[in-house]
Amino acid sequence: MQYRSTRGQITETLNSPQAVIQGLAPDGGLFVPVNFPQVDLPLPNLATMSYQAIAELVLGWFFDDLSKDQLHQIVQGAYGSQWDDATIAPLSKEHAGNYYLELFHGPTLAFKDIALQVLPRLMQKALTIEKNSNEIIILTATSGDTGTASMRGFSDQDGTRVIVFYPHGGVSPVQLRQMLGQRGDNLTAIAIEGNFDDAQTAVKTIFNDQSFNDQLLANGFQFSSANSMNIGRLIPQIVYYLSAYGQLVRRGDIKLGNEVNFTVPTGNFGDILAGYYAKKLGLPINRLICASDENNVLTDFFNTGHYDRQRPFFLTNSPAMDILVSSNLERLLFDIYDESAPSINQLMEQLKNDGKYSINAGARAKLHTHFNAGFATQQEVQREIKRIYQQDGYVIDPHTAVASFVANEYYSANNDPTPNVIISTASPYKFPETVYQAITDKQSPVTGLYAITELRQLLKQPLSPNVQQLFEQSQKNEQVIQPDQMKPTIRQILQL
């Protein structure tokens, strides 16, 4: 499998190990397959296949430079005893009209584990194949979950180092505790004064600083990314869409070949893009419903064709979605513009220089064949958590509640009989303050671990081993810097 940049300013293609190692293309674009896999999706088999078997199948389509034995080792290591549920991504029964795909049973209690248990192992195999002896510096901006899952996945992995930048005050107490409590000699997490977009923009700028990259190489270092900008982070997320469909068929909730809708809470767009790729592979998906919080730049984009990041930035009760620059949207644009790299380069230049762009009528028409979009306010998020709990005793986190609210708005406005699966991206115990307040209508008097205990007592549920582990982590001190200090800080960490 060969990969190219969405922006087309570099003409050479890379094999899959090279694309995984490099992470971001030198022209600022994202790597996409030169030829998207044309496969015979074994739809009838999904109902009987384990999550691991589906993962090996999907990874083999996109990373065919790796042997079957190498892929088997990656998958078995990624989806083993570190998960609280042997199903890996279990699908709930129907609750208040929707199914919930629980992606939070991994070590950091959020969907990022699905891919970030794969990526470090994939990276190690890629380095071996390419005979690359550089130390790989995983440079990542996070709105909370990616940083935690990256640090957990790469902890003490030989030949790698992780540097995470996150917005000061812009992550939940549990997310912060996880980042500051994760142990590993190769891990660093630093707060910046600013929001996630400030961190992500600075990380992209550093990635594209050729002189800095040359200095790194001269000292035996090389940047890569654990964000969904890295194709090795994105592709494993396709698997859970196929797994969800198989579970629906196995239980008799749908018949083989029936279409399904997926409603996805998204900020950086990688999660829902994986669903779009699953549809391209042949999964019977009717609508992909893009759910945003009050930072609803994606809702406006899908409804109008205009993308404009020049708007107020809100810190909400769904902090992992507090994003105004959705990097993975670039891959979707590349697809709907018939893989025209010059068109994508022009749009991204407009976004960089003007803070906005508009797509043409043809591209907008293609979007409308696949996507719907909506958003939820913070008050609507809290009401949705309470509604689901009161109706069915089922507890969801605020990000999942964004999707649940948007899904119900969609079904109220459309005569669509298609069953709906909500991508449930985080454990309620990762955001216990918001969940407690939503259910009780009372402000939680405590935060972090104390709030987890309070919520557990309210719900009368035992804590899973991965939630319990939070109580056993000691904490490092938080370091806070200005965004313009990110590059000097990296130099200091690497002793350049």
Side-chain angles (χ1 to χ4, degrees), residues 26-158:
D27 61 1
L30 306 183
F31 288 117
V32 290
V34 172
N35 296 298
F36 195 87
Q38 302 297 308
V39 302
D40 183 13
L41 182 67
L43 200 62
N45 299 338
L46 294 180
T48 59
M49 293 174 71
S50 68
Y51 194 92
Q52 291 86 344
I54 299 173
E56 287 187 41
L57 186 70
V58 172
L59 294 180
W61 292 333
F62 288 88
F63 305 122
D64 57 3
D65 301 275
L66 280 72
S67 69
K68 289 186 177 180
D69 184 59
Q70 288 173 321
L71 290 171
H72 181 74
Q73 291 175 20
I74 290 169
V75 168
Q76 293 304 308
Y79 303 121
S81 61
Q82 68 272 48
W83 294 80
D84 284 334
D85 191 299
T87 311
I88 308 302
L91 186 70
S92 79
K93 68 177 184 179
E94 190 174 354
H95 293 291
N98 298 298
Y99 302 94
Y100 293 81
L101 184 63
E102 297 180 351
L103 302 182
F104 50 77
H105 293 281
T108 72
L109 313 176
F111 81 104
K112 304 294 177 70
D113 288 322
I114 294 281
L116 282 167
Q117 286 296 303
V118 171
L119 182 60
R121 295 166 172 85
L122 183 60
M123 185 82 70
Q124 290 288 342
K125 298 296 184 187
L127 290 168
T128 299
I129 291 170
E130 290 300 305
K131 298 180 172 60
N132 188 327
S133 60
N134 290 329
E135 183 173 358
I136 303 300
I137 309 303
I138 305 296
L139 181 63
T140 294
T142 184
S143 53
D145 289 334
T146 292
T148 301
S150 299
M151 295 172 76
R152 176 64 170 79
F154 280 94
S155 176
D156 291 327
Q157 288 272 357
D158 290 340

Side-chain angles (χ1 to χ4, degrees), residues 141-144 165-171 190-197 199 315 319 478:
T142 184
S143 53
F165 292 102
Y166 63 92
H168 183 220
V171 300
I190 300 171
I192 68 156
E193 292 291 7
N195 59 44
F196 170 77
D197 291 326
L315 291 174
E478 186 174 28

Side-chain angles (χ1 to χ4, degrees), residues 341-412:
S343 297
I344 302 309
N345 195 57
Q346 183 179 26
L347 292 174
M348 293 304 102
E349 280 297 307
Q350 290 174 6
L351 182 64
K352 177 182 176 182
N353 297 328
D354 304 328
K356 57 185 177 180
Y357 60 80
S358 297
I359 60 174
N360 62 38
R364 188 179 175 193
K366 290 180 182 178
L367 284 183
H368 286 172
T369 64
H370 304 287
F371 293 91
N372 284 78
F375 76 97
T377 66
Q378 296 185 71
Q379 292 74 27
E380 289 165 341
V381 164
Q382 289 188 309
R383 288 201 297 268
E384 187 68 6
I385 294 171
K386 185 173 185 176
R387 183 183 76 86
I388 300 300
Y389 180 71
Q390 288 185 331
Q391 283 193 18
D392 223 351
Y394 189 67
V395 187
I396 57 177
D397 90 291
H399 304 78
T400 305
V402 169
S404 189
F405 176 84
V406 170
N408 287 328
E409 290 286 291
Y410 168 81
Y411 278 94
S412 296

Side-chain angles (χ1 to χ4, degrees), residues 301-447:
F301 170 71
F302 280 106
N303 290 336
T304 68
H306 304 293
Y307 193 102
D308 188 351
R309 62 174 173 82
Q310 299 179 116
R311 61 181 66 210
F313 181 91
F314 298 105
L315 291 174
T316 75
N317 54 15
S318 52
M321 297 166 62
D322 292 345
I323 296 170
L324 292 178
V325 181
S326 304
S327 291
N328 260 293
L329 187 61
E330 183 170 339
R331 285 188 170 111
L332 177 64
L333 292 172
F334 182 80
D335 203 74
I336 64 171
Y337 269 86
D338 298 321
E339 302 182 347
S340 170
S343 297
I344 302 309
N345 195 57
Q346 183 179 26
L347 292 174
M348 293 304 102
E349 280 297 307
Q350 290 174 6
L351 182 64
K352 177 182 176 182
N353 297 328
D354 304 328
K356 57 185 177 180
Y357 60 80
S358 297
I359 60 174
N360 62 38
R364 188 179 175 193
K366 290 180 182 178
L367 284 183
H368 286 172
T369 64
H370 304 287
F371 293 91
N372 284 78
F375 76 97
T377 66
Q378 296 185 71
Q379 292 74 27
E380 289 165 341
V381 164
Q382 289 188 309
R383 288 201 297 268
E384 187 68 6
I385 294 171
K386 185 173 185 176
R387 183 183 76 86
I388 300 300
Y389 180 71
Q390 288 185 331
Q391 283 193 18
D392 223 351
Y394 189 67
V395 187
I396 57 177
D397 90 291
H399 304 78
T400 305
V402 169
S404 189
F405 176 84
V406 170
N408 287 328
E409 290 286 291
Y410 168 81
Y411 278 94
S412 296
N414 295 274
N415 184 25
D416 185 350
T418 311
N420 182 59
V421 175
I422 288 172
I423 301 297
S424 185
T425 54
S427 165
Y429 287 108
K430 200 155 189 177
F431 306 90
E433 303 86 357
T434 299
V435 175
Y436 180 90
Q437 182 179 1
I439 291 174
T440 65
D441 293 323
K442 299 177 183 177
Q443 185 79 36
S444 174
V446 291
T447 63

Side-chain angles (χ1 to χ4, degrees), residues 207 209-221 223 496:
F207 260 107
D209 186 332
Q210 192 57 52
S211 64
F212 192 29
N213 278 270
D214 290 342
Q215 184 183 9
L216 289 175
L217 288 171
N219 286 273
F221 299 117
F223 278 139
L496 295 178

